[in-house]
Amino acid sequence: MGAQLRVYRRQIKSVQSTQKITKAMELIAASRIVKAQNRVNAARPYADELTRALAALGKDASLQHPLLTGAANPRRAGVLVVTSDRGLAGGYSANAIKRANELTASLRAEGKEPVLYVIGRKGVGYYRFRQIPTADSWTGFSEQPNFADARGATDAVVSALLATSDGESDGRPGVDELHVVYTRFDSMVSQTPVDDLVAPVQLSDAEQAAQSSDGASNAPAPAYEFEPEPQQILTALLPRYISARIFSALLESAASESAARRRAMKSASDNATDLIRTYTRMANQARQAEITQEISEIVGGADALAAAGSDY
């Protein structure tokens, strides 16, 4: 009985130590969500308006640029997957990878060859373990990204897009279009894995629906005046557009990761509380049984001594 009680007490102590860690991680994630959400809200309008302007330019038949209009018969499609560097975030990374796998399967069904680019150690580990080749990868900034972190991915995918599927860039295959798979931050309790077609430039389904609800789809197309030449402006502007879209996806993913981690750690802390309560009850039962046994042994010993004394 004493050994069993020691086991329960050791388990209670172990769970309490784990609960301290999960509670601290929950508080850290909660403190990061507000800041990450503010950064998302600040970056979204710029990326949306830039996409809207370039999508309108893409309808102008006189403007031709591979990042704006795309290839007539695309053969390769770049897929940039944004995952986390650390675990303990529930199904956050797994859901993003699942969405990326669905996208690559869809691209193959269309006759396109997917070329993978991965951000985050979880994604890198997933594809490396399954020996799925990736063109490039970046790690170390999933929770708190800055604009410089998006630059490495931007340079790689822009070079691949400019090379197109007919060539290579720094030994990596060129691509005709670019999809970004990330987790969109809807609210503190809802995060949705999505894939956006970033190049060639076009509005997403959500942006088209918002534009239609505003009545903008019936409005005349905006007219633009270029100074200097349109090609020079597009050559300078389109890489910035892709960088802005990738950075926006990183910010959305960072907010989603913190929200997912807070929810996972809260669930772990609640489960730890339940385990402590269960082990405490079992320890009390073991202690009660031990006391009952000791009392029974004392009473039995006293009865035996009393019986032995009456024989003399």
Side-chain angles (χ1 to χ4, degrees):
M1 287 295 180
Q4 189 177 17
L5 182 59
R6 283 195 297 272
V7 169
Y8 288 140
R9 285 175 175 171
R10 200 159 47 237
Q11 288 174 330
I12 290 171
K13 195 172 182 180
S14 175
V15 174
Q16 285 174 337
S17 299
T18 302
Q19 188 183 39
K20 290 179 182 178
I21 297 172
T22 58
K23 194 67 178 176
M25 292 185 68
E26 177 190 347
L27 294 175
I28 292 171
S31 67
R32 286 178 175 171
I33 291 175
V34 176
K35 183 179 178 181
Q37 191 175 4
N38 291 336
R39 296 180 73 192
V40 168
N41 293 334
R44 239 182 220 164
Y46 173 76
D48 291 345
E49 289 302 321
L50 187 57
T51 304
R52 205 168 290 176
L54 290 174
L57 287 176
K59 298 176 182 178
D60 188 344
S62 64
L63 297 177
Q64 296 293 325
H65 193 283
L67 301 186
L68 186 64
T69 57
N73 296 306
R75 294 192 295 114
R76 284 201 196 109
V79 179
L80 177 63
V81 188
V82 182
T83 62
S84 67
D85 286 316
R86 297 193 299 136
L88 302 178
Y92 165 77
S93 293
N95 292 334
I97 292 172
K98 180 181 178 182
R99 187 60 181 259
N101 290 340
E102 293 172 352
L103 175 61
T104 55
S106 175
L107 292 172
R108 287 192 180 95
E110 295 173 3
K112 302 173 186 175
E113 176 190 351
V115 179
L116 287 168
Y117 300 87
V118 185
I119 293 176
R121 291 190 180 94
K122 288 299 177 181
V124 171
Y126 173 88
Y127 290 112
R128 182 179 297 162
F129 179 77
R130 288 159 180 78
Q131 298 181 353
I132 300 174
T134 58
D136 212 336
S137 61
W138 303 268
T139 59
F141 51 83
S142 69
E143 283 188 281
Q144 295 177 308
N146 55 52
F147 197 77
D149 297 324
R151 190 170 300 157
T154 300
D155 293 343
V157 298
V158 167
S159 298
L161 285 164
L162 293 176
T164 69
S165 60
D166 298 327
E168 291 186 352
S169 172
D170 298 330
R172 293 184 290 260
V175 297
D176 296 314
E177 58 187 38
L178 175 66
H179 301 259
V180 178
V181 179
Y182 64 98
T183 306
R184 185 180 64 221
F185 182 84
D186 297 324
S187 66
M188 296 284 284
V189 296
S190 175
Q191 300 86 41
T192 308
V194 296
D195 62 89
D196 285 347
L197 178 62
V198 173
V201 181
Q202 68 175 33
L203 296 177
S204 65
D205 294 339
E207 290 168 334
Q208 290 177 359
Q211 198 176 65
S212 299
S213 63
D214 294 338
S217 59
N218 299 323
Y224 293 94
E225 293 183 1
F226 297 94
E227 180 65 34
E229 294 300 317
Q231 287 299 124
Q232 296 180 21
I233 294 177
L234 290 177
T235 300
L237 184 61
L238 286 169
R240 293 176 181 269
Y241 152 76
I242 291 179
S243 183
R245 289 298 297 268
I246 292 176
F247 183 54
S248 179
L250 288 175
L251 293 179
E252 296 262 4
S253 296
S256 298
E257 180 182 349
S258 294
R261 181 167 288 116
R262 186 201 67 82
R263 190 167 60 250
M265 291 301 97
K266 184 179 186 309
S267 177
S269 299
D270 293 343
N271 290 339
T273 300
D274 293 340
L275 273 175
I276 291 171
R277 189 180 297 115
T278 300
Y279 284 139
T280 300
R281 184 172 62 250
M282 295 172 70
N284 291 338
Q285 290 174 348
R287 177 60 179 159
Q288 186 177 7
E290 183 181 352
I291 293 172
T292 302
Q293 183 177 355
E294 290 174 354
I295 292 174
S296 298
E297 289 173 353
I298 293 171
V299 172
D303 289 344
L305 288 175
S310 62
D311 292 338
Y312 292 104

